[in-house]
Amino acid sequence: MQSNVSFVTRIWAIIYDTLLVFSLIFAIGLIVQAVFGDLGDVFFYVVTLPTSYIYFSQSWTKGRQTLGMKALKFQIVQQNGENITHKQALTRLFCAAITLIFIGHLYMFFNDGNLSLQDKISKTLFVKN
């Protein structure tokens, strides 16, 4: 199967969702700091990583799209067209972190299916609604 979502559209969705996730992390961080005091270096592991994972995995597995993807009218599916699993969501996020998100998307220009490196490894793809 082939993705029909462009590189630019994907990058806009990443920017949109990054702003949303940072806002969510900031709000949760304020609550955690108010309740538990200053967590210092532990903050990153206690709040940032789980919040990011929950936002993306729940959005992808339940509704097939994050808010950024919804605004730009595309969704994520398995290569057979079904909803993605939590394992695929974790694989996508892990690959995106390792490839620094944008570098993984540059892979799109070097394959026929218009798939990013994250798509290829997690066996997912983006399709327009």
Side-chain angles (χ1 to χ4, degrees):
M1 227 173 150
Q2 185 170 341
S3 177
N4 56 2
V5 178
S6 73
F7 175 79
V8 173
T9 302
R10 291 176 189 225
I11 299 306
W12 276 115
I14 289 170
I15 292 168
Y16 191 107
D17 287 325
T18 299
L19 293 172
L20 289 171
V21 170
F22 281 154
S23 301
L24 186 60
I25 289 169
F26 182 76
I28 292 171
L30 286 176
I31 294 168
V32 168
Q33 187 172 9
V35 173
F36 298 108
D38 188 24
L39 293 175
D41 295 336
V42 178
F43 177 80
F44 180 75
Y45 300 104
V46 171
V47 176
T48 304
L49 292 177
T51 301
S52 299
Y53 172 73
I54 290 168
Y55 172 75
F56 286 105
S57 69
Q58 291 301 311
S59 296
W60 289 337
T61 59
K62 301 298 181 203
R64 293 187 171 189
Q65 53 193 178
T66 61
L67 292 174
M69 293 164 67
K70 186 174 249 182
L72 295 167
K73 297 179 178 26
F74 69 96
Q75 60 187 358
I76 188 169
V77 295
Q78 290 186 37
Q79 290 180 350
N80 63 8
E82 297 179 11
N83 286 359
I84 72 168
T85 64
H86 285 283
K87 182 178 178 183
Q88 287 173 308
L90 182 60
T91 302
R92 275 191 71 78
L93 288 172
F94 184 73
C95 290
I98 288 177
T99 62
L100 301 174
I101 298 172
F102 298 109
I103 295 170
H105 282 86
L106 291 176
Y107 180 77
M108 292 173 55
F109 299 112
F110 303 105
N111 67 65
D112 295 333
N114 201 28
L115 301 174
S116 69
L117 190 57
Q118 298 90 296
D119 293 331
K120 186 167 180 76
I121 292 171
S122 65
K123 295 180 177 69
T124 60
L125 62 118
F126 290 129
V127 292
K128 291 185 180 179
N129 293 358

